[in-house]
Amino acid sequence: MPLRRRIFLLFRAGTRFHCGNPKKYPNMKAEALVYNETGKPLDVLSLQEIDVPAPQTGEVTIALERAVVHPSDMGMIGGTYGRLRALPAVAGREGVGRIAAVGGNAAGLSVGDRVRMPEDAGVWRAAITVPASEVEKVPSDIPAELAAMAFINPMTVWRILHDFVELKPGDWVLQNAGSSALGQCLVQIARGLGLRTVSVVRNVEKWEPLLKALGADAVLPEEKDSIKRIVEIVGGKGNLPKLALNSIGGESAARLTRMVGFAGTIVTFGGMTGDLIRFPTREFIFNDLRLRGFWMDRWNRSATPEARAETAEKIFAMMRAGTLKMAVDAVYPLREYKAAIARALEGGRNGKVQFTA
């Protein structure tokens, strides 16, 4: 019987695995996207069948609902990300699944519970068996395609808005790459906090209507004239943003230094172009700028479980209320990974590419 059907039947029947009886509940096989060496995703990824052991005492088996494709996934597969997995590795960092089977003493987890797919093990897989102590529960009243995207982009935004500058309602926040998935999250989360946003994009005509509908206060083009225009938008130099988010690098990041107020902070969390950032000396001397970096991976590893859960709940609450929406561009089964990766690498999308089992 195919794995997907076996997992589905387990889920529907509410099967509970019992430790010490492997003949009755044998191990299964699961499709997974594996890479044995780093390189271009379409060159090194392959669809393989891997073992999914029956859960023993203190373990659960999770069946994939949705997994997300991120630029950071490409960096990890390519060997350029800040933290790499031991090879061979299953790809993917973010997704959710349902518990399909439970061993004994599983810390209050039950068949059918939605949980986060364990990031460190790789999430582009149909199923996995893990210790129950490593599982994070996820609300079931949020659509799976939305819940699957809760842990990287929106949590990055939430932490940057709270950990670097003391902001109060009415303050302005600036960002480049405003049309990106994270940029759209920023607009919505900032609005929920009473903050105002200026989003810099490459194509204002295309992206301004969408960003304004999400709550953006101003959308500016990626050009030099925007440096002068922002002063008019915020109502004078004294109101210039205290905080700017940079995920592009190069000349775009340099422009941000001229668009923030005195003692402003620029937080870099991505480098889409890969270009060096040449910040003007004048802005450092006369405007007392602060340059900071943020990496969600590091925050997750250093934060307490309580802090992670509290941040996640803020995001879930906004999703539940409909004040945080995130678009899905396309959904592919794991076996169509080549088409999924090709689509994820295309420009002009509005939304993430996702996998199902």
Side-chain angles (χ1 to χ4, degrees), residues 193-242:
L193 295 171
L195 304 172
R196 294 180 287 183
T197 56
V198 178
S199 298
V200 179
V201 300
R202 291 179 180 174
N203 186 334
V204 172
E205 183 177 357
K206 176 180 179 179
W207 293 109
E208 184 175 34
L210 171 62
L211 291 173
K212 286 291 186 71
L214 293 176
D217 294 279
V219 180
L220 292 176
E222 188 73 78
E223 58 187 36
K224 291 182 179 180
D225 287 347
S226 295
I227 297 171
K228 295 180 180 179
R229 290 177 59 186
I230 191 172
V231 177
E232 301 173 359
I233 289 170
V234 303
K237 291 185 177 181
N239 296 323
L240 284 170
K242 301 176 182 179

Coordinates of all heavy atoms in Angstrom, one line a residue, residues 193-242:
L193 N 0.4 46.7 15.3 CA 1.1 47.4 16.4 C 0.9 48.9 16.5 O 1.5 49.5 17.3 CB 2.6 47.0 16.4 CG 2.9 45.5 16.6 CD1 4.4 45.3 16.4 CD2 2.5 45.0 18.0
G194 N 0.2 49.4 15.5 CA 0.0 50.9 15.4 C 1.2 51.6 14.8 O 1.3 52.9 15.0
L195 N 2.1 50.9 14.1 CA 3.2 51.6 13.5 C 2.9 51.9 12.0 O 2.0 51.3 11.4 CB 4.4 50.6 13.5 CG 4.8 50.1 14.9 CD1 5.9 49.1 14.8 CD2 5.4 51.3 15.8
R196 N 3.6 52.8 11.5 CA 3.4 53.2 10.1 C 4.6 52.7 9.3 O 5.7 52.7 9.8 CB 3.2 54.7 9.9 CG 1.9 55.2 10.6 CD 1.7 56.7 10.5 NE 2.6 57.4 11.4 CZ 2.6 58.7 11.5 NH1 1.7 59.5 10.8 NH2 3.4 59.3 12.3
T197 N 4.4 52.4 8.0 CA 5.5 51.8 7.2 C 5.7 52.5 5.9 O 4.7 53.0 5.2 CB 5.1 50.3 6.9 OG1 3.8 50.2 6.2 CG2 5.1 49.5 8.2
V198 N 7.0 52.5 5.5 CA 7.4 52.9 4.2 C 8.1 51.7 3.5 O 9.1 51.2 4.1 CB 8.3 54.1 4.2 CG1 8.8 54.5 2.8 CG2 7.7 55.3 4.9
S199 N 7.5 51.3 2.4 CA 8.1 50.1 1.7 C 8.7 50.5 0.4 O 8.0 51.1 -0.4 CB 7.0 49.0 1.5 OG 6.4 48.6 2.7
V200 N 9.9 50.1 0.2 CA 10.6 50.4 -1.0 C 10.6 49.2 -1.9 O 10.9 48.1 -1.5 CB 12.1 50.8 -0.8 CG1 12.8 51.1 -2.1 CG2 12.2 52.0 0.1
V201 N 10.1 49.4 -3.2 CA 10.0 48.2 -4.1 C 10.5 48.6 -5.5 O 10.8 49.8 -5.7 CB 8.5 47.8 -4.3 CG1 7.9 47.4 -2.9 CG2 7.7 49.0 -4.9
R202 N 10.8 47.6 -6.3 CA 11.3 47.9 -7.6 C 10.2 48.3 -8.6 O 10.5 49.1 -9.5 CB 12.0 46.7 -8.1 CG 13.3 46.4 -7.4 CD 14.0 45.1 -7.9 NE 15.2 44.8 -7.2 CZ 16.0 43.7 -7.4 NH1 15.6 42.8 -8.3 NH2 17.1 43.5 -6.7
N203 N 9.0 47.8 -8.4 CA 7.9 48.1 -9.3 C 6.7 48.7 -8.5 O 5.9 47.9 -8.1 CB 7.6 46.9 -10.1 CG 6.5 47.1 -11.2 OD1 5.8 48.0 -11.1 ND2 6.6 46.3 -12.2
V204 N 6.6 50.0 -8.4 CA 5.6 50.6 -7.6 C 4.2 50.3 -8.2 O 3.2 50.0 -7.5 CB 5.8 52.1 -7.5 CG1 4.6 52.8 -6.8 CG2 7.1 52.4 -6.6
E205 N 4.1 50.4 -9.5 CA 2.8 50.2 -10.2 C 2.2 48.9 -9.9 O 1.0 48.7 -9.7 CB 3.0 50.4 -11.7 CG 1.7 50.3 -12.5 CD 1.9 50.6 -14.0 OE1 3.0 50.9 -14.4 OE2 0.9 50.4 -14.7
K206 N 3.1 47.9 -9.9 CA 2.6 46.5 -9.6 C 2.3 46.2 -8.2 O 1.3 45.6 -7.8 CB 3.7 45.5 -10.1 CG 3.3 44.0 -9.8 CD 4.4 43.1 -10.2 CE 4.0 41.6 -9.9 NZ 5.1 40.7 -10.4
W207 N 3.1 46.7 -7.3 CA 3.0 46.3 -5.9 C 2.3 47.3 -4.9 O 1.8 46.9 -3.9 CB 4.4 46.0 -5.3 CG 5.1 44.9 -5.9 CD1 6.1 44.9 -6.8 CD2 4.7 43.5 -5.8 NE1 6.4 43.6 -7.2 CE2 5.6 42.7 -6.6 CE3 3.7 42.8 -5.0 CZ2 5.5 41.3 -6.6 CZ3 3.6 41.5 -5.1 CH2 4.5 40.7 -5.9
E208 N 2.2 48.6 -5.3 CA 1.5 49.5 -4.4 C 0.1 49.2 -4.1 O -0.3 49.2 -2.9 CB 1.6 50.9 -5.0 CG 1.1 52.0 -4.1 CD 1.2 53.4 -4.6 OE1 1.2 53.6 -5.8 OE2 1.5 54.3 -3.8
P209 N -0.7 48.8 -5.1 CA -2.1 48.4 -4.7 C -2.2 47.3 -3.7 O -3.0 47.4 -2.7 CB -2.7 48.0 -6.0 CG -1.9 48.7 -7.1 CD -0.5 48.7 -6.5
L210 N -1.4 46.3 -3.8 CA -1.4 45.1 -2.9 C -0.9 45.6 -1.5 O -1.6 45.3 -0.5 CB -0.6 44.0 -3.4 CG -0.3 42.8 -2.4 CD1 -1.6 42.2 -2.1 CD2 0.6 41.8 -3.0
L211 N 0.2 46.3 -1.5 CA 0.7 46.7 -0.2 C -0.2 47.7 0.5 O -0.3 47.6 1.8 CB 2.1 47.3 -0.4 CG 3.2 46.3 -0.8 CD1 4.5 47.0 -1.1 CD2 3.5 45.2 0.3
K212 N -0.8 48.6 -0.2 CA -1.7 49.5 0.4 C -2.9 48.7 1.0 O -3.5 49.0 2.1 CB -2.2 50.5 -0.6 CG -1.1 51.6 -0.9 CD -0.9 52.5 0.3 CE 0.0 53.7 0.0 NZ -0.6 54.7 -0.9
A213 N -3.4 47.7 0.2 CA -4.5 46.9 0.7 C -4.2 46.2 2.0 O -5.0 45.9 2.8 CB -5.0 45.9 -0.4
L214 N -2.9 45.8 2.2 CA -2.4 45.1 3.4 C -2.2 46.1 4.5 O -2.0 45.6 5.7 CB -1.2 44.3 3.1 CG -1.3 43.2 2.1 CD1 0.1 42.6 1.9 CD2 -2.2 42.1 2.7
G215 N -2.2 47.4 4.2 CA -2.0 48.3 5.3 C -0.8 49.2 5.2 O -0.5 50.0 6.2
A216 N -0.1 49.2 4.1 CA 1.1 50.0 3.9 C 0.7 51.5 3.9 O -0.3 51.8 3.3 CB 1.9 49.7 2.6
D217 N 1.5 52.3 4.5 CA 1.2 53.8 4.5 C 1.8 54.5 3.3 O 1.3 55.5 2.8 CB 1.7 54.4 5.8 CG 1.0 53.9 7.0 OD1 -0.1 54.4 7.3 OD2 1.5 53.0 7.7
A218 N 3.0 54.0 2.9 CA 3.7 54.6 1.7 C 4.5 53.5 1.0 O 5.1 52.7 1.6 CB 4.5 55.8 2.1
V219 N 4.5 53.6 -0.3 CA 5.3 52.7 -1.2 C 6.1 53.6 -2.1 O 5.6 54.4 -2.8 CB 4.4 51.8 -2.0 CG1 5.2 50.8 -2.8 CG2 3.5 51.0 -1.1
L220 N 7.5 53.4 -2.1 CA 8.4 54.2 -2.8 C 9.2 53.3 -3.8 O 9.5 52.2 -3.5 CB 9.3 54.9 -1.9 CG 8.7 56.0 -1.1 CD1 9.8 56.6 -0.1 CD2 8.1 57.1 -1.9
P221 N 9.6 53.9 -4.9 CA 10.5 53.1 -5.9 C 11.9 53.0 -5.4 O 12.4 53.9 -4.6 CB 10.4 54.0 -7.2 CG 10.1 55.4 -6.7 CD 9.3 55.2 -5.4
E222 N 12.6 52.0 -5.9 CA 14.0 51.8 -5.5 C 14.8 52.7 -6.4 O 15.5 52.4 -7.4 CB 14.3 50.3 -5.8 CG 15.7 49.9 -5.4 CD 15.8 49.8 -3.9 OE1 15.4 48.8 -3.3 OE2 16.4 50.7 -3.3
E223 N 14.9 54.0 -6.0 CA 15.7 55.0 -6.7 C 16.1 56.2 -5.8 O 15.6 56.3 -4.7 CB 14.8 55.6 -7.9 CG 13.5 56.2 -7.5 CD 12.7 56.6 -8.7 OE1 12.7 55.9 -9.7 OE2 12.0 57.6 -8.6
K224 N 17.0 57.0 -6.3 CA 17.6 58.0 -5.4 C 16.6 59.1 -5.0 O 16.7 59.6 -3.9 CB 18.8 58.7 -6.2 CG 20.0 57.8 -6.4 CD 21.1 58.6 -7.1 CE 22.3 57.8 -7.3 NZ 23.4 58.5 -8.0
D225 N 15.6 59.4 -5.9 CA 14.7 60.4 -5.5 C 13.8 60.1 -4.3 O 13.3 61.0 -3.6 CB 13.7 60.7 -6.7 CG 14.4 61.4 -7.8 OD1 15.5 61.9 -7.6 OD2 13.8 61.4 -8.9
S226 N 13.8 58.8 -4.0 CA 13.0 58.4 -2.8 C 13.6 58.9 -1.5 O 12.9 59.1 -0.5 CB 12.9 56.9 -2.7 OG 12.2 56.4 -3.9
I227 N 14.9 59.2 -1.5 CA 15.5 59.7 -0.3 C 14.9 61.1 0.1 O 14.7 61.4 1.3 CB 17.0 59.9 -0.5 CG1 17.6 58.5 -0.7 CG2 17.7 60.6 0.7 CD1 19.1 58.5 -1.2
K228 N 14.6 61.9 -0.9 CA 14.0 63.2 -0.7 C 12.5 63.1 -0.4 O 11.9 63.8 0.5 CB 14.1 64.1 -1.9 CG 15.6 64.5 -2.2 CD 15.7 65.4 -3.4 CE 17.1 65.8 -3.7 NZ 17.2 66.6 -4.9
R229 N 11.8 62.1 -1.0 CA 10.4 62.0 -0.9 C 10.0 61.5 0.5 O 8.9 61.9 1.0 CB 9.9 61.0 -2.0 CG 9.9 61.6 -3.4 CD 9.5 60.6 -4.4 NE 8.1 60.2 -4.2 CZ 7.5 59.2 -4.9 NH1 8.2 58.5 -5.8 NH2 6.3 58.8 -4.6
I230 N 10.8 60.7 1.1 CA 10.4 60.2 2.4 C 10.3 61.2 3.5 O 9.4 61.1 4.4 CB 11.4 59.1 2.9 CG1 10.8 58.3 4.1 CG2 12.8 59.6 3.2 CD1 11.6 57.1 4.5
V231 N 11.1 62.3 3.4 CA 10.9 63.4 4.3 C 9.6 64.0 4.2 O 8.9 64.4 5.2 CB 12.0 64.5 4.1 CG1 11.9 65.7 5.0 CG2 13.4 63.9 4.2
E232 N 9.1 64.2 3.0 CA 7.7 64.8 2.8 C 6.6 63.8 3.4 O 5.7 64.2 4.0 CB 7.5 65.0 1.3 CG 8.5 66.0 0.7 CD 8.3 66.1 -0.8 OE1 7.4 65.4 -1.3 OE2 9.0 66.9 -1.4
I233 N 6.8 62.5 3.1 CA 5.8 61.5 3.5 C 5.7 61.5 5.0 O 4.5 61.4 5.5 CB 6.2 60.1 3.0 CG1 6.0 60.1 1.5 CG2 5.4 59.0 3.6 CD1 6.6 58.9 0.8
V234 N 6.8 61.5 5.8 CA 6.7 61.4 7.2 C 6.5 62.7 7.9 O 6.3 62.7 9.2 CB 8.0 60.7 7.8 CG1 8.2 59.3 7.1 CG2 9.2 61.5 7.6
G235 N 6.5 63.8 7.2 CA 6.3 65.1 7.8 C 7.4 65.8 8.4 O 7.3 66.4 9.5
G236 N 8.6 65.6 7.8 CA 9.8 66.3 8.3 C 10.9 65.4 8.8 O 10.6 64.2 9.1
K237 N 12.1 65.9 8.8 CA 13.3 65.0 9.2 C 13.2 64.5 10.6 O 13.7 63.4 10.9 CB 14.6 65.8 9.1 CG 14.9 66.1 7.6 CD 16.3 66.8 7.5 CE 16.7 67.1 6.1 NZ 18.0 67.7 6.0
G238 N 12.5 65.2 11.5 CA 12.3 64.8 12.9 C 11.5 63.5 13.0 O 11.5 62.9 14.1
N239 N 10.7 63.2 12.0 CA 9.8 62.0 12.0 C 10.4 60.8 11.2 O 9.7 59.8 11.0 CB 8.5 62.4 11.5 CG 7.8 63.4 12.3 OD1 7.9 63.4 13.5 ND2 7.0 64.3 11.7
L240 N 11.6 61.0 10.7 CA 12.2 59.9 9.9 C 12.2 58.6 10.7 O 12.4 58.6 11.9 CB 13.6 60.2 9.4 CG 13.6 61.2 8.2 CD1 15.0 61.7 8.0 CD2 13.0 60.6 6.9
P241 N 12.2 57.4 10.0 CA 12.1 56.2 10.8 C 13.3 55.9 11.7 O 14.4 56.3 11.3 CB 12.1 55.1 9.6 CG 11.5 55.8 8.4 CD 12.0 57.3 8.6
K242 N 13.0 55.4 12.8 CA 14.1 54.9 13.8 C 14.7 53.6 13.4 O 15.7 53.2 13.8 CB 13.5 54.8 15.2 CG 12.9 56.1 15.7 CD 12.3 55.8 17.1 CE 11.6 57.0 17.7 NZ 11.0 56.6 19.1

